[in-house]
Amino acid sequence: GKGNYPHFMLKEIFEQPRTVKRTLDVYTHPAHQTLGLPRAAADQINLADVSSIYMVSCGTAHYATRVSEYWFEQLAGVPSKTDIASEFRYRRPALAKNSIAVFVSQSGETADTLAALRYCKEQGIKTVAIVNVQTSTIAREADVVLPTYAGPEIGVASTKAFTAQLVVLLAFAVAIAEAQGHLDEAEVAALSNDILTVNSAIEKALSLDDVIKKEVIHFEQAADAFYLGRGVYYPLALEGALKLKEISYIHAEGFASGELKHGPIALITAKTPVVFIAPFDDLFEKSLSNLQEVAARSGPVLLLSDEKGIAHAGSAPTRSIALPNTPEIIMPIVQTVALQLLAYHAAVALGTDVDQPRNLAKSVTVE
Ligand code: M6R
């Protein structure tokens, strides 16, 4: 049941400290407290020999892989490529030797993702499934299964499955980085330490629920909304926009902040709320100048950042939310929680059917 929550979606958002912890525990070495893959999976994949990674999935699962692309490349130095399953399967891409293919799916039944998996098996490359439903077809057919432990997800809008996917992908990236000597023991230990604070960071983000709820005023009367981010926050902008459009029916798009000048800025008016996802990091100054460009065209800006970022932004954003200060590596997960709550409260304010949005099915078993 929904317990004390009005919707499954809200219940599932609030379950994340536990579902993320439960998932992370399985990917944490009990004695060393370092992240990695369970022994059998690591051996089967042969982590030291992986030369490149293809990741194939749909919807929110696809955005999880797009976030993880930065981790596989930056932490592990392994070239990675992501694709939408419906594109991948019909393109029949040429696959590099010693590459592996990773399929991410909550349900494990998504038709296009399954077809892409079968294609990769035919091509003879190793297939890895990151799935929430362990008895699913994708889990059965893949060579290696890395489960997420989000528990049953009822809300059509994926929330806790997404954050569980992110932590498994992060553990996977750390495991490859270590196996290939891209990170040494001390670096793995330090990084793991940071990552293992994620559930308390999620708790802190959830405690801002009332603050975030007030910010839905940002979307009042909006027909269109834009989400902008750079680096790892670019795919999160796509995910934030997907969440909003799915359940509130407000037309929302995510863009890479750097692309603003290459087209999207033409859309900015006083009636197009923009959400900037920009913690105070190396790319912050770049994001801030994009934010100022939007503000200069009267675009109302909601800045999702941290105290430092908000202090630096001064009066440029119309509104802002200060998320907890956390290690940089887990900030995308903390930002995710804010994006979920923002979409949820916007939908509730508009009176839509949050758990069963129109036209959508929880699992897309036909293409
Ligand atoms: O079960 P899957 O993870 O394979 O599903 C993929 C997408 O259909 C799914 O993430 C969809 O985009 C959700 N409604 C997003 O909230």
Side-chain angles (χ1 to χ4, degrees):
K2 287 185 273 203
N4 292 326
Y5 293 94
H7 298 100
F8 279 106
M9 183 181 176
L10 191 63
K11 173 175 176 261
E12 290 165 358
I13 291 172
F14 272 83
E15 271 172 3
Q16 291 177 110
R18 275 170 294 133
T19 52
V20 160
K21 172 85 169 59
R22 193 159 68 211
T23 302
L24 215 42
D25 277 350
V26 176
Y27 296 90
T28 305
H29 191 287
H32 305 142
Q33 288 297 297
T34 52
L35 256 63
L37 297 186
R39 191 53 188 266
D43 289 346
Q44 264 177 293
I45 297 171
N46 199 359
L47 294 173
D49 285 345
V50 173
S51 67
S52 61
I53 305 175
Y54 301 103
M55 291 185 276
V56 188
S57 43
C58 302
T60 287
H62 171 65
Y63 298 138
T65 67
R66 299 224 0 213
V67 171
S68 77
E69 226 177 341
Y70 293 82
W71 297 332
F72 284 108
E73 295 194 346
Q74 290 168 5
L75 301 177
V78 177
S80 314
K81 211 173 164 202
T82 61
D83 209 344
I84 294 166
S86 56
E87 286 300 313
F88 184 93
R89 66 179 288 196
Y90 291 114
R91 201 172 71 249
R92 304 183 66 82
L95 303 173
K97 274 212 185 80
N98 290 329
S99 60
I100 59 167
V102 179
F103 302 87
V104 181
S105 176
Q106 189 285 127
S107 64
E109 302 295 347
T110 301
D112 285 322
T113 308
L114 177 60
L117 164 70
R118 288 178 177 160
Y119 169 77
C120 288
K121 286 186 82 175
E122 272 165 37
Q123 302 297 307
I125 71 167
K126 182 128 319 158
T127 57
V128 180
I130 298 180
V131 288
N132 199 41
V133 180
Q134 288 190 54
T135 52
S136 61
T137 314
I138 289 174
R140 267 202 320 271
E141 294 196 13
D143 297 320
V144 183
V145 180
L146 302 176
T148 52
Y149 296 90
E153 190 181 61
I154 310 295
V156 164
S158 184
T159 54
K160 62 176 181 169
F162 178 71
T163 47
Q165 287 160 356
L166 287 178
V167 296
V168 172
L169 288 160
L170 196 44
F172 198 171
V174 173
I176 295 194
E178 188 168 28
Q180 301 200 355
H182 209 258
L183 291 180
D184 65 27
E185 226 172 273
E187 288 168 325
V188 168
L191 191 60
S192 300
N193 246 330
D194 283 351
I195 296 168
L196 291 168
T197 64
V198 67
N199 46 309
S200 70
I202 296 174
E203 291 281 9
K204 286 187 205 149
L206 289 171
S207 72
L208 298 175
D209 185 35
D210 284 338
V211 175
I212 296 170
K213 186 175 173 181
K214 288 197 193 94
E215 300 305 331
V216 302
I217 192 171
H218 190 63
F219 298 117
E220 225 167 46
Q221 278 149 23
D224 310 281
F226 302 113
Y227 285 72
L228 298 178
R230 276 179 184 267
V232 83
Y233 303 103
Y234 164 40
L236 274 197
L238 302 174
E239 167 62 7
L242 177 65
K243 217 91 296 174
L244 187 73
K245 75 179 100 166
E246 277 191 298
I247 59 171
S248 77
Y249 315 145
I250 296 172
H251 167 234
E253 296 300 330
F255 296 111
S257 302
E259 276 291 290
L260 199 57
K261 282 198 182 79
H262 301 283
I265 201 163
L267 299 168
I268 303 298
T269 69
K271 288 186 184 148
T272 53
V274 179
V275 178
F276 267 91
I277 309 166
F280 192 72
D281 60 14
D282 287 354
L283 295 173
F284 183 79
E285 291 301 330
K286 304 273 174 206
S287 299
L288 182 57
S289 74
N290 300 130
L291 189 159
Q292 286 157 342
E293 285 156 8
V294 169
R297 284 152 189 93
S298 319
V301 172
L302 171 60
L303 173 62
L304 300 188
S305 188
D306 39 43
E307 271 165 29
K308 271 194 184 157
I310 288 166
H312 269 74
S315 62
T318 320
R319 323 186 61 87
S320 52
I321 300 175
L323 291 168
N325 291 316
T326 66
E328 201 168 313
I329 189 74
I330 57 169
M331 190 52 103
I333 297 172
V334 171
Q335 287 278 355
T336 296
V337 174
L339 294 168
Q340 294 168 345
L341 288 171
L342 205 55
Y344 172 77
H345 290 299
V348 170
L350 290 164
T352 60
D353 187 346
V354 172
D355 286 332
Q356 289 285 324
R358 67 185 184 203
N359 308 341
L360 292 173
K362 181 66 188 161
S363 135
V364 185
T365 54
V366 289
E367 57 174 306

